Amino acid sequence: MFWYQQPPRNGLKLIVSTTTWSHYSYEDGYSEAKFEVNRESSNYSLMTIKDLTFKDEATYFCAASDH
């Protein structure tokens, strides 16, 4: 499962990815302290953005693949 951020007038930036239920890999510049991910099942994931600021203005996308 993958979470992406697309700031206005910019391309997609990967925030975090996971291949297991408990291991999340955050990209440089992103952290669990700011972008908390909870994956409750193989069909459901929730990302919470903490302490929002104007810098967080973006469209956010979730992508998943079924192996």
Side-chain angles (χ1 to χ4, degrees), residues 1-7 11-18 25-31 35 47 60-63:
M1 186 162 290
F2 307 88
W3 280 97
Y4 293 91
Q5 177 189 56
Q6 185 175 22
L12 290 173
K13 297 178 180 181
L14 180 61
I15 298 171
V16 60
S17 62
T18 180
S25 296
Y26 284 85
E27 296 297 303
D28 288 342
Y30 298 96
S31 70
F35 298 92
M47 182 175 73
Y60 293 86
F61 297 93
C62 177

Side-chain angles (χ1 to χ4, degrees), residues 8-59:
R9 299 168 297 284
N10 283 304
L12 290 173
K13 297 178 180 181
L14 180 61
I15 298 171
V16 60
S17 62
T18 180
T19 55
T20 66
W21 291 106
S22 60
H23 182 262
Y24 299 102
S25 296
Y26 284 85
E27 296 297 303
D28 288 342
Y30 298 96
S31 70
E32 185 175 8
K34 177 74 174 179
F35 298 92
E36 181 182 59
V37 176
N38 290 303
R39 187 171 178 192
E40 296 180 11
S41 72
S42 61
N43 298 342
Y44 182 82
S45 179
L46 176 70
M47 182 175 73
T48 303
I49 306 168
K50 300 177 180 179
D51 301 319
L52 285 171
T53 69
F54 288 110
K55 293 179 183 179
D56 298 317
E57 180 183 358
T59 302

